[in-house]
């Protein structure tokens, strides 16, 4: 049975996570896809092609992507190379304290090139990417023409 995991499942957006796929056939060619919908409902996604190792595992932190949104060894490549489905959109998190980005990770058999895969994933999981840690206080700043926010640690 194929399984994709992200460890830790919930983390701050600037923290490294480990993505692993297990249960594949040795040397099986797969597509890893990461996608999310922003607060406006716009879809952002990335994908990378990998060949499973001799034990049927894929670890983007140690194995080079063969192509897709990036190539080479990029442990956080699926998160860093998220691109909008519609041109000229930017991935911006407005509600940084209230909710995380929910990033869905999926693994597909073979090369999956379309923006909307036609087949069911072999496995999937979700990762929460928070922009403010627990207990951090957000203080709005309005002084003259200056606008901003001060984030105070607990």
């Amino acid at each position: 049975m194929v399984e994709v995991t992200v460890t830790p499942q919930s983390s701050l957006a600037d923290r490294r996570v480990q993505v692993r796929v297990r249960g594949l056939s040795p040397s099986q060619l797969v597509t890893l896809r990461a996608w999310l919908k922003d607060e406006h409902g716009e879809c952002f996604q990335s994908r990378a092609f990998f060949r499973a190792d001799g034990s049927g595992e894929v670890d983007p932190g140690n194995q080079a992507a063969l192509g897709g949104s990036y190539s080479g060894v990029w442990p956080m490549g699926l998160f860093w190379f998220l691109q909008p489905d519609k041109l000229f959109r930017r991935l911006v998190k407005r509600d940084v304290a209230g909710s995380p980005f929910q990033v869905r990770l999926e693994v597909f058999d073979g090369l999956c090139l379309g923006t909307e895969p036609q087949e069911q994933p072999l496995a999937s999981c979700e990762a929460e990417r928070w922009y403010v840690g627990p207990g951090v206080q957000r203080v709005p700043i309005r002084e003259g023409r200056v606008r901003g926010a001060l984030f105070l640690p607990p």
Side-chain angles (χ1 to χ4, degrees), residues 33-90:
R33 175 181 178 236
W35 65 275
L36 65 84
K37 288 199 180 212
D38 71 2
E39 295 157 331
H40 298 291
E42 299 290 341
C43 188
F44 291 77
Q45 62 180 308
S46 63
R47 70 189 70 242
F49 312 129
F50 291 93
R51 187 167 299 283
D53 63 13
S55 60
E57 295 187 4
V58 171
D59 179 0
N62 294 319
Q63 291 172 257
L66 305 174
S69 301
Y70 66 96
S71 60
V73 179
W74 290 81
M76 294 295 295
L78 290 168
F79 296 90
W80 291 342
F81 291 97
L82 288 166
Q83 294 294 316
D85 282 355
K86 295 180 183 174
L87 293 177
F88 309 113
R89 302 286 196 241
R90 289 183 34 207

Side-chain angles (χ1 to χ4, degrees), residues 6-22:
V6 59
T7 309
Q9 185 269 333
S10 182
S11 64
L12 291 173
D14 63 346
R15 299 287 192 254
R16 183 174 169 172
V17 296
Q18 182 180 35
V19 177
R20 300 281 301 249
V21 181
R22 293 182 177 94

Side-chain angles (χ1 to χ4, degrees), residues 126-146:
E126 280 197 356
E128 291 182 348
R129 304 294 283 169
W130 289 89
Y131 282 78
V132 175
V136 172
Q137 181 183 3
R138 182 181 187 273
V139 179
I141 305 294
R142 290 180 168 259
E143 187 66 39
R145 292 175 42 190
V146 175

